[in-house]
Amino acid sequence: MRSRESSSLHDLFHDRRKGSAFWLKFIKFFAIFNWILAATILILIDASLPKSETFFDRIFEVSIQPFWTIQNIEIITAMFCIIFLGSGISLVANTRYLKRKEDRLNLSNLVSFIVSWIAIFLYFGFF
């Protein structure tokens, strides 16, 4: 049987969170959303790559473009800005929820924050 002191300490330090809060769902959502945007960025970059000449191009004398097409660069930069803002907000929210021993920083949001920051820096540094 518990004493009155241990009961009040238990009530004081007992974790009252039953389910995942809105911000924890938000953190997980943005981790998934960032990966979807990153896959879309990779597809757009692949579409912008210069095409290499193949065997059939030489046989049928098909001309290819040996240069990058940069028509998608503004879309890619906007996607990196969305990733940067979303992962930044979710990292701030994640640091507010680091109270329990099991709570961890979301590594996916941290990596996407750093990579998007580097990509935005490179874009505005070179263009």
Side-chain angles (χ1 to χ4, degrees), residues 40-67:
T40 307
I41 288 171
L42 288 176
I43 291 170
L44 287 174
I45 289 174
D46 183 54
S48 300
L49 282 172
K51 307 300 181 226
S52 59
E53 188 177 48
T54 63
F55 173 73
F56 294 109
D57 292 334
R58 278 179 276 166
I59 288 178
F60 296 118
E61 298 176 2
V62 176
S63 64
I64 55 169
Q65 57 181 16
F67 51 87

Side-chain angles (χ1 to χ4, degrees), residues 4-71:
R4 181 172 279 222
E5 270 183 40
S6 67
S7 176
S8 64
L9 285 176
H10 177 357
D11 292 339
L12 181 63
F13 293 109
H14 181 67
D15 186 20
R16 293 184 299 265
R17 293 186 280 181
K18 300 295 181 202
S20 59
F22 166 75
W23 288 106
L24 295 177
K25 290 180 183 177
F26 178 80
I27 292 165
K28 290 179 185 178
F29 169 76
F30 251 101
I32 295 169
F33 185 70
N34 288 340
W35 280 106
I36 292 171
L37 280 180
T40 307
I41 288 171
L42 288 176
I43 291 170
L44 287 174
I45 289 174
D46 183 54
S48 300
L49 282 172
K51 307 300 181 226
S52 59
E53 188 177 48
T54 63
F55 173 73
F56 294 109
D57 292 334
R58 278 179 276 166
I59 288 178
F60 296 118
E61 298 176 2
V62 176
S63 64
I64 55 169
Q65 57 181 16
F67 51 87
W68 284 77
T69 57
I70 57 169
Q71 61 191 3

